[in-house]
Amino acid sequence: MLTFARPNRLAPSRWLVCLDLQRDYVVPGRSRYAPAHSAIVRACRQVLDLARAGGWRVVHSQKRNDDVSLTPRDMFGAPIEGLRPLVTEPVFFRRGLSAFANPAFAAEMRAARGADVYLIGFSLADSCLATALAAVDEGLELTLLDDAVGAGPEEGVMEAAQSLLRPFVRIQASSMLARDLEVMS
């Protein structure tokens, strides 16, 4: 017998996935740092503020390695100032590339089926790409906010990743999202 998942009528209609909003991407001298990341942080902050004001479900996923401790020299894994999760926003830690590598994250996101899901953060070439494709496998309607996603310092990463994702997810600028939401209000 076939069974179909029913949309959860109590679940929010919009979700925001915040991926790897960690200091390692914005501190000069760190391996994942790129000068363009300061603009990404501003765009992420605008989207996060918009989501919180709109009552969206906001979830965070962060990569953690076994060798990370909480000593001051290891605090590059801490959230970026201004993008810290609120106590009402779950944070899922993972070891794999995709946020869906955390079973609790995957279970949480099942409630987002039938809703609009937006993705912001860092690691477009690996974590964002893997998470976006896993979201498609989970049956989610995903939109990548391209100006709120860091691609890193290598040239051509953004274009390559977008060309891989374009057949499967929507790609738009966060300014268009704000405008679309204004029109719908």
Side-chain angles (χ1 to χ4, degrees):
M1 172 166 98
L2 289 174
T3 59
F4 297 94
R6 289 187 181 155
N8 183 348
R9 303 221 187 279
L10 300 176
S13 61
R14 291 188 184 89
W15 291 60
L16 179 63
V17 176
C18 302
L19 191 61
D20 298 335
L21 298 179
Q22 296 166 266
R23 294 184 65 234
D24 205 28
Y25 295 91
V26 297
V27 176
R30 299 296 297 172
S31 62
R32 295 181 176 165
Y33 170 79
H37 286 171
S38 59
I40 304 300
V41 169
R42 283 192 299 278
C44 287
R45 187 171 295 129
Q46 290 172 343
V47 173
L48 190 54
D49 290 346
L50 182 71
R52 288 171 173 164
W56 300 15
R57 179 68 168 156
V58 177
V59 297
H60 299 261
S61 176
Q62 297 177 358
K63 185 149 172 91
R64 286 286 194 256
N65 297 322
D66 291 331
D67 61 344
V68 172
S69 68
L70 293 179
T71 61
R73 73 177 192 285
D74 295 326
M75 293 308 286
F76 297 108
I80 297 167
E81 286 299 322
L83 299 176
R84 293 181 186 277
L86 299 178
V87 295
T88 56
E89 299 168 353
V91 179
F92 299 94
F93 298 103
R94 68 182 195 287
R95 288 191 174 84
L97 284 180
S98 169
F100 288 89
N102 180 311
F105 177 89
E108 173 87 9
M109 294 307 296
R110 285 187 196 105
R113 289 182 181 146
D116 293 323
V117 180
Y118 298 88
L119 177 64
I120 64 171
F122 290 99
S123 313
L124 180 61
D126 47 50
S127 295
C128 284
L129 185 62
T131 299
L133 293 174
V136 171
D137 283 346
E138 288 290 329
L140 299 175
E141 298 287 326
L142 186 77
T143 300
L144 178 82
L145 298 174
D146 64 354
D147 59 332
V149 175
E154 298 83 19
E155 273 201 44
V157 171
M158 180 67 81
E159 296 79 16
Q162 284 184 355
S163 68
L164 288 169
L165 289 173
R166 197 165 276 112
F168 308 107
V169 305
R170 290 182 305 255
I171 299 174
Q172 77 178 74
S174 61
S175 59
M176 296 300 289
L177 170 66
R179 191 196 66 171
D180 291 349
L181 292 174
E182 227 174 76
V183 169
M184 290 194 281
S185 301

